[in-house]
Amino acid sequence: MEEMGNGTLDPVCAKNDPPFSHKIIRGLDLTGIFLFAILTLMTLIANLVFGEEVFYIYRKIPSSKRTIFIWINAAAPVIATTSCIGMWIPRSTMFTDFTAAVFFAIVIHKFMLMMIKECGGQKLFLRRFENDHFKISTGPCCCCCLCLPYIRITRRNLFLMKLGTFQLAFLRPVLMFLSIVLWTNGNYSLSDLSPNGAAIWINCFVGALTIIALWPIGIMFQQVRVLLTCKKIIPKFALYQFVLILSQLQAAIINILALRGIIPCAPPLASLARGAYMNQQLLIMEMFLITLISRVVYRKRYDDLELPECTDQESKENKQNTKINLNGKVVEDGTQNV
């Protein structure tokens, strides 16, 4: 009897079947073959569009922003590619899902860095907002806690916000590696959500880390959305949110429906495997559209922001620098004292 789980056979639906991927492909009718071909073509086009976008970024975008823009633009094509691989090779679903999750965890941190870079970098960001405060009563953690105080925008608080997104980029690969190790030992199964199983604890911890990482993103977006309106930060943030919701929340909802039996098994697919199949096919279409839209949003070149106004201390220093010492005489405001 085959083991039940993501990408495995259900003993009720199938028994003593040949290798799973071959069973799926051989069982496709004309409609199924056409669907697989279209979805694979969409994945290929998404990767070609991304490759052309990388070429454009290297030619037109300043070197300080290239890596960040490439990481963010790669989110949709990478998720589409992993979903396509999982669609053709169902037993690889766990590995493809983990790869996409780890990659997007890094993209979340890169999006935070992009908002700071678009403001001119950390130094100019601190100069622009040195007298302002962060509003921390934002989602997903504290959107209802309006009584929370505002915090000053300082180098330390900015570092803590970047640390909030970095912790997910660092810890999620570690947790995904631990999950794979436990899975190979038979101690990790997505269908086992009992308190004695490892899946429930790892998933809850990953969920908590994700919420903590999304909080600084929301705080920073609320701070810079007016300043960066000219750089289309709102469409960029919307695309980022769509990728987040579709790649994380959609998969979670489909998995819950499959575990509850709302998505029935269809030989040779078990309920959980069929839910994963549906999610992969939806993700390919969704990420294909997001890739095309991202090309339009990120491809347009925007003018750099104006430099922030000087502070009072800097104004005094600049005024002192306008005094020119000429043969022991001081010339100020263009008038020479003889």
Side-chain angles (χ1 to χ4, degrees):
M1 183 179 296
E2 295 285 346
E3 177 187 0
M4 294 183 63
N6 201 0
T8 57
L9 294 175
D10 191 338
V12 177
C13 297
K15 187 176 181 180
N16 298 325
D17 285 281
F20 190 60
S21 58
H22 296 285
K23 181 70 175 179
I24 295 292
I25 296 172
R26 290 173 184 173
L28 290 175
D29 55 7
L30 184 60
T31 304
I33 295 173
F34 181 75
L35 177 62
F36 268 51
I38 290 296
L39 293 176
T40 304
L41 181 62
M42 284 184 174
T43 304
L44 178 61
I45 293 175
N47 281 278
L48 291 176
V49 170
F50 171 67
E52 190 270 340
E53 183 67 13
V54 170
F55 180 72
Y56 172 84
I57 289 173
Y58 267 101
R59 289 182 55 213
K60 302 294 185 181
I61 303 299
S63 58
S64 61
K65 300 179 182 179
R66 286 175 189 166
T67 303
I68 294 175
F69 275 39
I70 290 173
W71 271 94
I72 296 175
N73 278 274
V78 166
I79 294 174
T81 302
T82 55
S83 298
C84 187
I85 294 173
M87 181 182 68
W88 281 102
I89 311 174
R91 291 190 184 277
S92 68
T93 298
M94 174 173 286
F95 299 96
T96 57
D97 288 350
F98 283 177
T99 301
V102 168
F103 188 90
F104 191 71
I106 300 174
V107 169
I108 291 176
H109 180 62
K110 294 293 183 181
F111 195 87
M112 166 68 81
L113 298 181
M114 186 200 72
M115 290 191 286
I116 298 174
K117 281 286 185 183
E118 291 286 54
C119 292
Q122 180 170 310
K123 291 183 179 179
L124 285 179
F125 177 86
L126 293 172
R127 282 180 59 187
R128 292 179 193 278
F129 300 107
E130 61 182 348
N131 296 321
D132 291 344
H133 294 74
F134 283 126
K135 179 184 178 182
I136 62 175
S137 57
T138 60
C141 289
C142 305
C143 54
C144 299
C145 303
L146 301 179
C147 59
L148 289 177
Y150 286 60
I151 61 173
R152 287 196 59 191
I153 299 178
T154 61
R155 186 180 301 273
R156 177 178 176 274
N157 289 334
L158 184 60
F159 171 76
L160 290 176
M161 291 184 63
K162 291 194 291 185
L163 186 63
T165 56
F166 178 77
Q167 54 84 20
L168 180 65
F170 176 76
L171 292 176
R172 187 149 197 180
V174 175
L175 292 172
M176 294 301 100
F177 176 77
L178 177 61
S179 300
I180 292 175
V181 171
L182 293 175
W183 176 73
T184 56
N185 197 41
N187 297 327
Y188 182 93
S189 175
L190 292 176
S191 60
D192 182 13
L193 297 180
S194 64
N196 296 327
I200 185 67
W201 298 106
I202 293 178
N203 289 336
C204 288
F205 191 49
V206 169
L209 294 178
T210 304
I211 292 175
I212 292 173
L214 296 179
W215 190 24
I217 295 286
I219 294 172
M220 181 62 70
F221 175 71
Q222 292 293 330
Q223 187 66 37
V224 303
R225 65 176 180 176
V226 175
L227 177 66
L228 298 182
T229 299
C230 60
K231 296 199 173 187
K232 305 297 182 184
I233 191 62
I234 296 178
K236 292 176 181 177
F237 184 77
L239 288 172
Y240 150 81
Q241 290 282 74
F242 276 126
V243 176
L244 172 67
I245 293 172
L246 295 174
S247 64
Q248 306 297 319
L249 188 59
Q250 174 180 278
I253 293 174
I254 291 178
N255 283 335
I256 291 173
L257 294 177
L259 289 172
R260 294 289 183 180
I262 298 176
I263 299 177
C265 64
L269 293 173
S271 297
L272 198 58
R274 189 184 179 198
Y277 235 52
M278 294 171 57
N279 182 56
Q280 290 160 354
Q281 293 170 351
L282 288 172
L283 279 177
I284 292 174
M285 294 183 284
E286 294 158 352
M287 295 303 116
F288 171 75
L289 295 176
I290 290 177
T291 301
L292 298 181
I293 299 173
S294 296
R295 181 184 180 275
V296 176
V297 173
Y298 283 90
R299 190 178 183 87
K300 186 176 179 181
R301 299 182 67 186
Y302 308 103
D303 297 330
D304 290 333
L305 298 174
E306 295 181 0
L307 293 176
E309 296 180 359
C310 297
T311 61
D312 294 339
Q313 181 66 25
E314 291 172 335
S315 299
K316 291 178 182 179
E317 292 177 357
N318 293 335
K319 197 170 184 180
Q320 291 176 358
N321 291 334
T322 59
K323 297 181 180 181
I324 303 174
N325 194 344
L326 180 61
N327 294 330
K329 307 274 186 182
V330 175
V331 178
E332 183 176 5
D333 295 333
T335 304
Q336 181 175 354
N337 297 324
V338 182

